[in-house]
């Protein structure tokens, strides 16, 4: 089969389209014929091995442990391994795995769910990591309820575009923060208010929010605290910028300690992949209450360009690779 493979850490030029053996599903695994694969920020981190902190999470210290890139997948079940009971060949599924930039990939049964019937494979592939992360940030960590004022920073990105919609679905008044080129998108997602951070500073506007969802930002906690209500909750989702060692994740690690000295709650979110949340998202998608925002679809051979485009920070929603 064809796959996007790398042997060493580096920029997108270390990736190449190669022929490699077709995988065989093991116990509890499903072999998926890939139709589309999402491109999330984690793909760039695993490609470059930066920040170095990610290498300590089991992805390979000196070189990638799994040479095929891609973690979000949507496709059709080709075959199943021993012990698999939830799927059979021909089922359309989506979820997370290791190595989805390929014609076939093996995924754990527990990390897959039935594909939403009303979405194309390309739309579905945008959801497994980004939408699950948004759901856990808004529903679980933020515990957003109807009538609350919610601020989503990075509202035009992969996680942020889903967070805006999920918060609105829960009945919140949502303000989205994004760059100029993403203002129109964030409005179409349903945000009540949009702040263009290149022109306005939400932290100096005087508004206070019950919940702030900060997706892949780099603002200091002291700045975010100014916009948070006295008993409000800040949820930090990942981090960008920073040095080569922690790469911005230090804010997430420091957040719980900051809560000890304040009535405000600061939480760093590490999303947990599971099929239950994928099934919850399927219900939202099929009801038309949430919809993936896909800016562009690349062919498999151009996956390196898709990753480079994402890392530039200008993507409106998500980019996806079609296989």
């Amino acid at each position: 089969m064809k796959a996007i493979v790398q042997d060493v850490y580096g920029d997108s030029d270390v990736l190449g389209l190669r022929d490699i053996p077709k995988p065989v599903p093991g116990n509890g695994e499903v072999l998926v014929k890939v139709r589309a694969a999402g491109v999330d920020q984690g793909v760039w981190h695993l490609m470059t091995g930066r920040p170095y902190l990610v290498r300590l999470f089991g992805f390979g210290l000196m070189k990638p442990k799994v040479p095929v890139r891609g973690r979000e997948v949507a496709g059709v079940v080709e075959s199943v391994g021993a012990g698999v009971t939830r799927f059979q060949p021909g089922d359309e599924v989506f979820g997370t795995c290791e190595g989805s930039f390929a014609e076939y990939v093996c995924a754990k049964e527990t990390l897959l769910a039935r594909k939403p019937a009303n979405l194309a494979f390309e739309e579905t592939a945008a959801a497994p990591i980004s939408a699950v992360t948004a759901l856990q940030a808004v529903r679980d960590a933020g515990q957003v309820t109807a009538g609350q004022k919610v601020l989503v920073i990075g509202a035009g990105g992969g996680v942020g575009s889903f967070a805006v919609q999920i918060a609105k679905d829960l009945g919140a008044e949502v303000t989205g923060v994004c760059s100029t080129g993403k203002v129109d998108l964030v409005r179409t997602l349903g945000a009540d208010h949009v702040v263009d951070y290149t022109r306005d500073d939400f932290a100096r506007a005087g508004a206070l929010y019950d919940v702030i969802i900060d997706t892949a930002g780099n603002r200091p906690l002291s700045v975010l605290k100014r916009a948070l209500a006295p008993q409000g909750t800040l949820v930090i989702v990942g981090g960008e910028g920073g040095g080569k060692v922690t790469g911005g994740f230090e804010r997430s690690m420091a957040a719980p300690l900051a809560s000890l000295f304040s009535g405000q709650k600061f939480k760093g979110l590490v999303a947990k992949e599971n099929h239950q949340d994928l099934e919850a998202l399927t219900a939202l998608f099929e009801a038309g209450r949430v919809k993936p925002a896909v800016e562009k679809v690349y062919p498999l051979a151009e996956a390196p360009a898709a990753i480079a485009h994402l890392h530039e920070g200008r993507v409106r929603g998500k980019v996806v690779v079609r296989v």
Side-chain angles (χ1 to χ4, degrees), residues 5-68:
V5 182
Q6 69 178 107
D7 299 317
V8 296
Y9 287 122
D11 293 322
S12 57
D13 57 358
V14 303
L15 301 176
L17 182 65
R18 303 184 199 167
D19 288 314
I20 64 173
K22 182 178 175 181
V24 177
N27 187 47
E29 290 186 333
V30 173
L31 178 64
V32 178
K33 180 176 176 58
V34 181
R35 297 288 297 275
V39 185
D40 70 294
Q41 287 289 354
V43 171
W44 182 87
H45 291 300
L46 295 179
M47 177 185 75
T48 61
R50 301 196 304 267
Y52 298 141
L53 185 65
V54 302
R55 305 189 188 196
L56 302 179
F57 293 160
F59 293 104
L61 191 59
M62 302 304 295
K63 64 179 183 179
K65 185 176 180 180
V66 177
V68 182

Short mmCIF file of all heavy atoms in Angstrom, two decimals, residues 5-68:
data_model
loop_
_atom_site.label_atom_id
_atom_site.label_comp_id
_atom_site.label_asym_id
_atom_site.label_seq_id
_atom_site.Cartn_x
_atom_site.Cartn_y
_atom_site.Cartn_z
N VAL A 5 5.52 8.41 4.81
CA VAL A 5 6.45 7.82 5.78
C VAL A 5 7.60 8.77 6.07
O VAL A 5 8.02 9.54 5.20
CB VAL A 5 7.00 6.48 5.22
CG1 VAL A 5 7.93 5.82 6.23
CG2 VAL A 5 5.85 5.54 4.88
N GLN A 6 8.12 8.68 7.29
CA GLN A 6 9.34 9.41 7.65
C GLN A 6 10.24 8.50 8.48
O GLN A 6 9.78 7.68 9.27
CB GLN A 6 9.03 10.68 8.42
CG GLN A 6 8.48 10.47 9.82
CD GLN A 6 8.23 11.78 10.56
OE1 GLN A 6 7.09 12.16 10.73
NE2 GLN A 6 9.30 12.43 11.01
N ASP A 7 11.56 8.67 8.31
CA ASP A 7 12.54 7.88 9.06
C ASP A 7 13.18 8.66 10.18
O ASP A 7 13.72 8.08 11.14
CB ASP A 7 13.64 7.37 8.11
CG ASP A 7 13.09 6.48 7.01
OD1 ASP A 7 12.24 5.62 7.33
OD2 ASP A 7 13.50 6.64 5.85
N VAL A 8 13.17 10.00 10.06
CA VAL A 8 13.79 10.85 11.07
C VAL A 8 12.86 12.02 11.37
O VAL A 8 11.95 12.32 10.60
CB VAL A 8 15.16 11.40 10.58
CG1 VAL A 8 16.15 10.26 10.36
CG2 VAL A 8 14.98 12.22 9.30
N TYR A 9 13.08 12.68 12.50
CA TYR A 9 12.33 13.88 12.82
C TYR A 9 12.82 15.03 11.95
O TYR A 9 13.99 15.10 11.57
CB TYR A 9 12.52 14.25 14.29
CG TYR A 9 11.80 13.34 15.26
CD1 TYR A 9 12.50 12.64 16.24
CD2 TYR A 9 10.41 13.19 15.20
CE1 TYR A 9 11.85 11.81 17.15
CE2 TYR A 9 9.76 12.36 16.10
CZ TYR A 9 10.47 11.68 17.07
OH TYR A 9 9.82 10.86 17.96
N GLY A 10 11.92 15.95 11.63
CA GLY A 10 12.31 17.11 10.84
C GLY A 10 11.09 17.82 10.30
O GLY A 10 9.95 17.55 10.70
N ASP A 11 11.32 18.75 9.38
CA ASP A 11 10.23 19.48 8.75
C ASP A 11 9.59 18.62 7.66
O ASP A 11 9.97 17.46 7.47
CB ASP A 11 10.73 20.81 8.20
CG ASP A 11 11.16 21.75 9.33
OD1 ASP A 11 10.48 21.76 10.37
OD2 ASP A 11 12.18 22.46 9.16
N SER A 12 8.64 19.18 6.92
CA SER A 12 7.84 18.38 6.00
C SER A 12 8.66 17.70 4.91
O SER A 12 8.18 16.75 4.29
CB SER A 12 6.75 19.25 5.37
OG SER A 12 7.30 20.37 4.71
N ASP A 13 9.89 18.15 4.68
CA ASP A 13 10.70 17.51 3.64
C ASP A 13 11.21 16.12 4.05
O ASP A 13 11.78 15.40 3.21
CB ASP A 13 11.88 18.40 3.22
CG ASP A 13 12.78 18.78 4.38
OD1 ASP A 13 12.49 18.40 5.53
OD2 ASP A 13 13.78 19.48 4.13
N VAL A 14 11.01 15.72 5.32
CA VAL A 14 11.41 14.36 5.73
C VAL A 14 10.32 13.35 5.37
O VAL A 14 10.55 12.13 5.50
CB VAL A 14 11.71 14.28 7.24
CG1 VAL A 14 12.79 15.27 7.63
CG2 VAL A 14 10.45 14.48 8.08
N LEU A 15 9.17 13.82 4.93
CA LEU A 15 8.06 12.93 4.58
C LEU A 15 8.15 12.51 3.13
O LEU A 15 8.55 13.29 2.27
CB LEU A 15 6.72 13.63 4.82
CG LEU A 15 6.43 14.11 6.25
CD1 LEU A 15 5.10 14.86 6.27
CD2 LEU A 15 6.39 12.94 7.22
N GLY A 16 7.76 11.27 2.86
CA GLY A 16 7.76 10.79 1.49
C GLY A 16 6.66 9.78 1.25
O GLY A 16 6.26 9.06 2.17
N LEU A 17 6.14 9.73 0.03
CA LEU A 17 5.12 8.75 -0.34
C LEU A 17 5.82 7.47 -0.77
O LEU A 17 6.58 7.47 -1.73
CB LEU A 17 4.25 9.30 -1.48
CG LEU A 17 3.11 8.41 -1.94
CD1 LEU A 17 2.06 8.24 -0.85
CD2 LEU A 17 2.46 8.99 -3.20
N ARG A 18 5.57 6.38 -0.04
CA ARG A 18 6.26 5.12 -0.32
C ARG A 18 5.27 3.96 -0.35
O ARG A 18 4.15 4.06 0.13
CB ARG A 18 7.31 4.82 0.76
CG ARG A 18 8.37 5.87 0.96
CD ARG A 18 9.37 5.37 1.97
NE ARG A 18 10.15 6.45 2.56
CZ ARG A 18 10.92 6.31 3.63
NH1 ARG A 18 10.99 5.14 4.24
NH2 ARG A 18 11.60 7.35 4.12
N ASP A 19 5.77 2.84 -0.90
CA ASP A 19 5.03 1.58 -0.83
C ASP A 19 5.55 0.80 0.38
O ASP A 19 6.76 0.56 0.50
CB ASP A 19 5.24 0.75 -2.10
CG ASP A 19 4.51 1.33 -3.29
OD1 ASP A 19 3.33 1.68 -3.14
OD2 ASP A 19 5.13 1.46 -4.36
N ILE A 20 4.64 0.43 1.28
CA ILE A 20 5.00 -0.33 2.47
C ILE A 20 4.01 -1.48 2.62
O ILE A 20 2.94 -1.47 1.99
CB ILE A 20 5.00 0.54 3.74
CG1 ILE A 20 3.59 1.06 4.04
CG2 ILE A 20 5.99 1.68 3.61
CD1 ILE A 20 3.49 1.79 5.37
N PRO A 21 4.33 -2.48 3.44
CA PRO A 21 3.41 -3.62 3.61
C PRO A 21 2.06 -3.19 4.20
O PRO A 21 1.99 -2.32 5.05
CB PRO A 21 4.16 -4.54 4.57
CG PRO A 21 5.60 -4.17 4.40
CD PRO A 21 5.60 -2.69 4.14
N LYS A 22 1.01 -3.82 3.73
CA LYS A 22 -0.33 -3.59 4.26
C LYS A 22 -0.41 -4.19 5.66
O LYS A 22 0.01 -5.32 5.87
CB LYS A 22 -1.35 -4.25 3.33
CG LYS A 22 -2.79 -4.07 3.72
CD LYS A 22 -3.67 -4.75 2.66
CE LYS A 22 -5.13 -4.74 3.02
NZ LYS A 22 -5.95 -5.41 1.98
N PRO A 23 -0.91 -3.44 6.64
CA PRO A 23 -0.94 -3.96 8.01
C PRO A 23 -1.98 -5.07 8.20
O PRO A 23 -2.93 -5.19 7.41
CB PRO A 23 -1.30 -2.72 8.85
CG PRO A 23 -2.08 -1.86 7.91
CD PRO A 23 -1.46 -2.08 6.56
N VAL A 24 -1.79 -5.85 9.24
CA VAL A 24 -2.71 -6.93 9.59
C VAL A 24 -3.27 -6.65 10.98
O VAL A 24 -2.51 -6.41 11.91
CB VAL A 24 -1.98 -8.30 9.58
CG1 VAL A 24 -2.93 -9.41 10.03
CG2 VAL A 24 -1.41 -8.59 8.21
N PRO A 25 -4.59 -6.65 11.14
CA PRO A 25 -5.17 -6.32 12.45
C PRO A 25 -4.87 -7.39 13.50
O PRO A 25 -4.99 -8.58 13.23
CB PRO A 25 -6.67 -6.23 12.16
CG PRO A 25 -6.88 -7.11 10.96
CD PRO A 25 -5.63 -6.95 10.15
N GLY A 26 -4.49 -6.92 14.69
CA GLY A 26 -4.24 -7.82 15.80
C GLY A 26 -5.48 -7.96 16.66
O GLY A 26 -6.58 -7.56 16.29
N ASN A 27 -5.30 -8.53 17.82
CA ASN A 27 -6.40 -8.73 18.75
C ASN A 27 -7.03 -7.39 19.13
O ASN A 27 -6.33 -6.47 19.55
CB ASN A 27 -5.90 -9.44 20.01
CG ASN A 27 -7.02 -9.81 20.94
OD1 ASN A 27 -8.04 -10.36 20.51
ND2 ASN A 27 -6.86 -9.53 22.22
N GLY A 28 -8.33 -7.26 18.95
CA GLY A 28 -9.03 -6.02 19.31
C GLY A 28 -8.84 -4.90 18.31
O GLY A 28 -9.26 -3.77 18.58
N GLU A 29 -8.26 -5.19 17.14
CA GLU A 29 -8.00 -4.15 16.14
C GLU A 29 -8.88 -4.32 14.91
O GLU A 29 -9.35 -5.42 14.60
CB GLU A 29 -6.53 -4.17 15.71
CG GLU A 29 -5.56 -3.69 16.76
CD GLU A 29 -4.15 -3.60 16.24
OE1 GLU A 29 -3.81 -4.34 15.29
OE2 GLU A 29 -3.39 -2.78 16.77
N VAL A 30 -9.05 -3.22 14.20
CA VAL A 30 -9.84 -3.17 12.98
C VAL A 30 -8.96 -2.65 11.86
O VAL A 30 -8.27 -1.64 12.03
CB VAL A 30 -11.07 -2.24 13.17
CG1 VAL A 30 -11.81 -2.05 11.85
CG2 VAL A 30 -12.00 -2.78 14.24
N LEU A 31 -8.96 -3.34 10.72
CA LEU A 31 -8.24 -2.84 9.54
C LEU A 31 -9.20 -1.94 8.77
O LEU A 31 -10.27 -2.37 8.34
CB LEU A 31 -7.77 -3.98 8.65
CG LEU A 31 -7.03 -3.56 7.36
CD1 LEU A 31 -5.72 -2.84 7.70
CD2 LEU A 31 -6.77 -4.76 6.46
N VAL A 32 -8.81 -0.67 8.60
CA VAL A 32 -9.66 0.31 7.94
C VAL A 32 -9.06 0.69 6.59
O VAL A 32 -7.86 1.01 6.50
CB VAL A 32 -9.80 1.58 8.81
CG1 VAL A 32 -10.64 2.63 8.10
CG2 VAL A 32 -10.41 1.24 10.16
N LYS A 33 -9.88 0.62 5.56
CA LYS A 33 -9.49 1.17 4.26
C LYS A 33 -9.73 2.68 4.35
O LYS A 33 -10.88 3.13 4.46
CB LYS A 33 -10.31 0.57 3.13
CG LYS A 33 -9.94 1.10 1.74
CD LYS A 33 -10.71 0.40 0.65
CE LYS A 33 -10.40 0.99 -0.73
NZ LYS A 33 -8.95 0.92 -1.07
N VAL A 34 -8.67 3.45 4.38
CA VAL A 34 -8.76 4.88 4.66
C VAL A 34 -9.36 5.61 3.46
O VAL A 34 -8.94 5.44 2.33
CB VAL A 34 -7.37 5.46 4.98
CG1 VAL A 34 -7.47 6.95 5.29
CG2 VAL A 34 -6.74 4.71 6.15
N ARG A 35 -10.35 6.44 3.75
CA ARG A 35 -10.94 7.31 2.73
C ARG A 35 -10.49 8.75 2.92
O ARG A 35 -10.37 9.50 1.96
CB ARG A 35 -12.47 7.22 2.79
CG ARG A 35 -13.01 5.82 2.46
CD ARG A 35 -12.87 5.49 0.99
NE ARG A 35 -13.66 6.40 0.18
CZ ARG A 35 -14.96 6.24 -0.08
NH1 ARG A 35 -15.61 5.19 0.41
NH2 ARG A 35 -15.62 7.10 -0.83
N ALA A 36 -10.26 9.15 4.16
CA ALA A 36 -9.78 10.51 4.44
C ALA A 36 -9.11 10.52 5.81
O ALA A 36 -9.43 9.70 6.68
CB ALA A 36 -10.92 11.52 4.39
N ALA A 37 -8.20 11.47 6.00
CA ALA A 37 -7.47 11.60 7.27
C ALA A 37 -7.33 13.07 7.63
O ALA A 37 -6.95 13.88 6.78
CB ALA A 37 -6.09 10.96 7.16
N GLY A 38 -7.67 13.41 8.85
CA GLY A 38 -7.56 14.79 9.30
C GLY A 38 -6.13 15.18 9.59
O GLY A 38 -5.27 14.33 9.89
N VAL A 39 -5.86 16.48 9.50
CA VAL A 39 -4.53 17.02 9.81
C VAL A 39 -4.68 17.92 11.03
O VAL A 39 -5.30 18.99 10.95
CB VAL A 39 -3.96 17.82 8.63
CG1 VAL A 39 -2.53 18.28 8.93
CG2 VAL A 39 -3.99 16.99 7.35
N ASP A 40 -4.15 17.49 12.17
CA ASP A 40 -4.23 18.29 13.39
C ASP A 40 -2.84 18.72 13.80
O ASP A 40 -1.83 18.25 13.25
CB ASP A 40 -4.91 17.50 14.52
CG ASP A 40 -4.03 16.36 15.00
OD1 ASP A 40 -3.78 15.40 14.22
OD2 ASP A 40 -3.58 16.40 16.15
N GLN A 41 -2.76 19.62 14.79
CA GLN A 41 -1.45 20.13 15.22
C GLN A 41 -0.54 19.02 15.72
O GLN A 41 0.68 19.11 15.60
CB GLN A 41 -1.64 21.18 16.32
CG GLN A 41 -2.18 22.51 15.83
CD GLN A 41 -1.18 23.30 15.01
OE1 GLN A 41 -0.01 22.93 14.89
NE2 GLN A 41 -1.63 24.40 14.44
N GLY A 42 -1.12 17.97 16.28
CA GLY A 42 -0.31 16.86 16.77
C GLY A 42 0.52 16.22 15.68
O GLY A 42 1.62 15.70 15.94
N VAL A 43 0.04 16.23 14.44
CA VAL A 43 0.79 15.66 13.33
C VAL A 43 2.10 16.41 13.14
O VAL A 43 3.16 15.80 12.90
CB VAL A 43 -0.06 15.69 12.04
CG1 VAL A 43 0.79 15.30 10.83
CG2 VAL A 43 -1.25 14.76 12.15
N TRP A 44 2.04 17.74 13.23
CA TRP A 44 3.27 18.53 13.09
C TRP A 44 4.24 18.22 14.22
O TRP A 44 5.44 18.06 14.01
CB TRP A 44 2.95 20.02 13.08
CG TRP A 44 4.16 20.89 12.88
CD1 TRP A 44 4.70 21.28 11.70
CD2 TRP A 44 5.00 21.44 13.91
NE1 TRP A 44 5.83 22.05 11.92
CE2 TRP A 44 6.03 22.16 13.27
CE3 TRP A 44 4.97 21.39 15.30
CZ2 TRP A 44 7.02 22.82 13.98
CZ3 TRP A 44 5.97 22.06 16.01
CH2 TRP A 44 6.98 22.76 15.35
N HIS A 45 3.72 18.13 15.45
CA HIS A 45 4.58 17.83 16.60
C HIS A 45 5.26 16.47 16.45
O HIS A 45 6.45 16.31 16.76
CB HIS A 45 3.78 17.88 17.90
CG HIS A 45 3.31 19.25 18.28
ND1 HIS A 45 4.19 20.28 18.51
CD2 HIS A 45 2.07 19.76 18.47
CE1 HIS A 45 3.51 21.38 18.82
NE2 HIS A 45 2.23 21.08 18.79
N LEU A 46 4.51 15.47 15.98
CA LEU A 46 5.09 14.13 15.82
C LEU A 46 6.04 14.07 14.63
O LEU A 46 6.98 13.28 14.62
CB LEU A 46 3.98 13.10 15.66
CG LEU A 46 3.07 12.91 16.87
CD1 LEU A 46 1.99 11.89 16.59
CD2 LEU A 46 3.89 12.48 18.09
N MET A 47 5.82 14.89 13.62
CA MET A 47 6.73 14.95 12.47
C MET A 47 8.07 15.55 12.87
O MET A 47 9.13 15.04 12.50
CB MET A 47 6.09 15.76 11.35
CG MET A 47 6.96 15.94 10.12
SD MET A 47 6.19 17.04 8.89
CE MET A 47 6.44 18.66 9.69
N THR A 48 8.03 16.64 13.62
CA THR A 48 9.26 17.36 13.98
C THR A 48 9.91 16.83 15.26
O THR A 48 11.09 17.07 15.49
CB THR A 48 8.96 18.85 14.18
OG1 THR A 48 8.00 18.99 15.25
CG2 THR A 48 8.40 19.48 12.91
N GLY A 49 9.11 16.15 16.09
CA GLY A 49 9.63 15.73 17.40
C GLY A 49 9.78 16.89 18.35
O GLY A 49 10.50 16.82 19.34
N ARG A 50 9.07 18.00 18.07
CA ARG A 50 9.12 19.19 18.91
C ARG A 50 7.73 19.55 19.40
O ARG A 50 6.75 19.41 18.66
CB ARG A 50 9.73 20.38 18.14
CG ARG A 50 11.12 20.13 17.64
CD ARG A 50 11.82 21.44 17.24
NE ARG A 50 11.08 22.20 16.25
CZ ARG A 50 11.25 22.12 14.94
NH1 ARG A 50 12.12 21.27 14.43
NH2 ARG A 50 10.55 22.86 14.11
N PRO A 51 7.63 20.04 20.62
CA PRO A 51 8.70 20.15 21.59
C PRO A 51 9.20 18.76 22.02
O PRO A 51 8.48 17.77 21.86
CB PRO A 51 8.05 20.89 22.77
CG PRO A 51 6.61 20.51 22.68
CD PRO A 51 6.32 20.43 21.22
N TYR A 52 10.40 18.72 22.57
CA TYR A 52 11.01 17.43 22.91
C TYR A 52 10.16 16.66 23.92
O TYR A 52 10.29 15.44 24.04
CB TYR A 52 12.41 17.66 23.46
CG TYR A 52 13.35 18.29 22.47
CD1 TYR A 52 14.28 19.25 22.86
CD2 TYR A 52 13.31 17.94 21.12
CE1 TYR A 52 15.14 19.84 21.94
CE2 TYR A 52 14.15 18.52 20.19
CZ TYR A 52 15.07 19.48 20.61
OH TYR A 52 15.91 20.05 19.69
N LEU A 53 9.29 17.37 24.62
CA LEU A 53 8.43 16.73 25.60
C LEU A 53 7.59 15.62 24.96
O LEU A 53 7.34 14.59 25.59
CB LEU A 53 7.51 17.78 26.23
CG LEU A 53 6.59 17.34 27.37
CD1 LEU A 53 7.41 16.91 28.58
CD2 LEU A 53 5.65 18.48 27.76
N VAL A 54 7.18 15.79 23.70
CA VAL A 54 6.32 14.78 23.07
C VAL A 54 7.07 13.46 22.88
O VAL A 54 6.46 12.39 22.84
CB VAL A 54 5.77 15.27 21.72
CG1 VAL A 54 4.99 16.56 21.88
CG2 VAL A 54 6.86 15.43 20.68
N ARG A 55 8.38 13.52 22.75
CA ARG A 55 9.16 12.29 22.56
C ARG A 55 9.12 11.42 23.81
O ARG A 55 9.24 10.19 23.72
CB ARG A 55 10.61 12.62 22.21
CG ARG A 55 10.77 13.54 21.02
CD ARG A 55 12.21 13.65 20.59
NE ARG A 55 12.42 14.68 19.57
CZ ARG A 55 13.50 14.79 18.82
NH1 ARG A 55 14.49 13.93 18.97
NH2 ARG A 55 13.60 15.76 17.94
N LEU A 56 8.92 12.04 24.96
CA LEU A 56 8.87 11.30 26.22
C LEU A 56 7.52 10.63 26.44
O LEU A 56 7.35 9.86 27.37
CB LEU A 56 9.16 12.24 27.40
CG LEU A 56 10.51 12.96 27.34
CD1 LEU A 56 10.67 13.87 28.55
CD2 LEU A 56 11.66 11.95 27.29
N PHE A 57 6.54 10.94 25.57
CA PHE A 57 5.20 10.37 25.71
C PHE A 57 5.07 9.03 24.99
O PHE A 57 3.96 8.52 24.80
CB PHE A 57 4.14 11.33 25.16
CG PHE A 57 4.00 12.59 25.96
CD1 PHE A 57 3.41 13.71 25.39
CD2 PHE A 57 4.45 12.68 27.27
CE1 PHE A 57 3.26 14.89 26.12
CE2 PHE A 57 4.32 13.85 28.00
CZ PHE A 57 3.72 14.96 27.43
N GLY A 58 6.20 8.45 24.56
CA GLY A 58 6.17 7.13 23.93
C GLY A 58 6.13 7.14 22.42
O GLY A 58 5.93 6.10 21.79
N PHE A 59 6.38 8.31 21.80
CA PHE A 59 6.32 8.40 20.34
C PHE A 59 7.69 8.21 19.68
O PHE A 59 7.78 8.28 18.46
CB PHE A 59 5.71 9.73 19.91
CG PHE A 59 4.26 9.87 20.27
CD1 PHE A 59 3.88 10.65 21.35
CD2 PHE A 59 3.29 9.20 19.55
CE1 PHE A 59 2.53 10.78 21.68
CE2 PHE A 59 1.95 9.31 19.87
CZ PHE A 59 1.56 10.10 20.96
N GLY A 60 8.72 7.98 20.48
CA GLY A 60 10.05 7.76 19.91
C GLY A 60 11.03 8.81 20.36
O GLY A 60 10.80 10.00 20.12
N LEU A 61 12.12 8.41 20.98
CA LEU A 61 13.07 9.37 21.55
C LEU A 61 13.98 9.98 20.48
O LEU A 61 14.12 11.20 20.40
CB LEU A 61 13.92 8.69 22.62
CG LEU A 61 14.78 9.60 23.49
CD1 LEU A 61 13.92 10.61 24.22
CD2 LEU A 61 15.62 8.80 24.46
N MET A 62 14.57 9.14 19.63
CA MET A 62 15.52 9.63 18.62
C MET A 62 14.91 9.68 17.22
O MET A 62 15.36 10.44 16.37
CB MET A 62 16.76 8.73 18.59
CG MET A 62 17.48 8.66 19.94
SD MET A 62 17.95 10.28 20.58
CE MET A 62 19.14 10.81 19.35
N LYS A 63 13.88 8.88 16.98
CA LYS A 63 13.18 8.87 15.69
C LYS A 63 11.74 8.43 15.93
O LYS A 63 11.43 7.85 16.99
CB LYS A 63 13.87 7.96 14.69
CG LYS A 63 13.86 6.49 15.08
CD LYS A 63 14.55 5.65 14.01
CE LYS A 63 14.48 4.16 14.38
NZ LYS A 63 15.11 3.32 13.33
N PRO A 64 10.84 8.68 15.00
CA PRO A 64 9.44 8.32 15.22
C PRO A 64 9.26 6.82 15.43
O PRO A 64 9.77 6.01 14.64
CB PRO A 64 8.74 8.78 13.94
CG PRO A 64 9.65 9.81 13.36
CD PRO A 64 11.03 9.38 13.71
N LYS A 65 8.55 6.45 16.48
CA LYS A 65 8.28 5.04 16.75
C LYS A 65 7.38 4.46 15.67
O LYS A 65 7.57 3.33 15.23
CB LYS A 65 7.63 4.90 18.12
CG LYS A 65 7.39 3.47 18.57
CD LYS A 65 6.83 3.46 19.98
CE LYS A 65 6.57 2.03 20.45
NZ LYS A 65 6.02 2.01 21.83
N VAL A 66 6.39 5.24 15.25
CA VAL A 66 5.52 4.86 14.13
C VAL A 66 5.91 5.76 12.95
O VAL A 66 5.73 6.97 13.02
CB VAL A 66 4.03 5.05 14.47
CG1 VAL A 66 3.16 4.73 13.26
CG2 VAL A 66 3.65 4.17 15.66
N PRO A 67 6.45 5.20 11.86
CA PRO A 67 6.96 6.04 10.77
C PRO A 67 5.89 6.67 9.89
O PRO A 67 6.18 7.61 9.16
CB PRO A 67 7.82 5.07 9.96
CG PRO A 67 7.24 3.73 10.24
CD PRO A 67 6.75 3.77 11.65
N VAL A 68 4.66 6.16 9.93
CA VAL A 68 3.58 6.71 9.10
C VAL A 68 2.85 7.78 9.88
O VAL A 68 2.43 7.56 11.02
CB VAL A 68 2.59 5.61 8.66
CG1 VAL A 68 1.51 6.20 7.75
CG2 VAL A 68 3.33 4.48 7.94
#
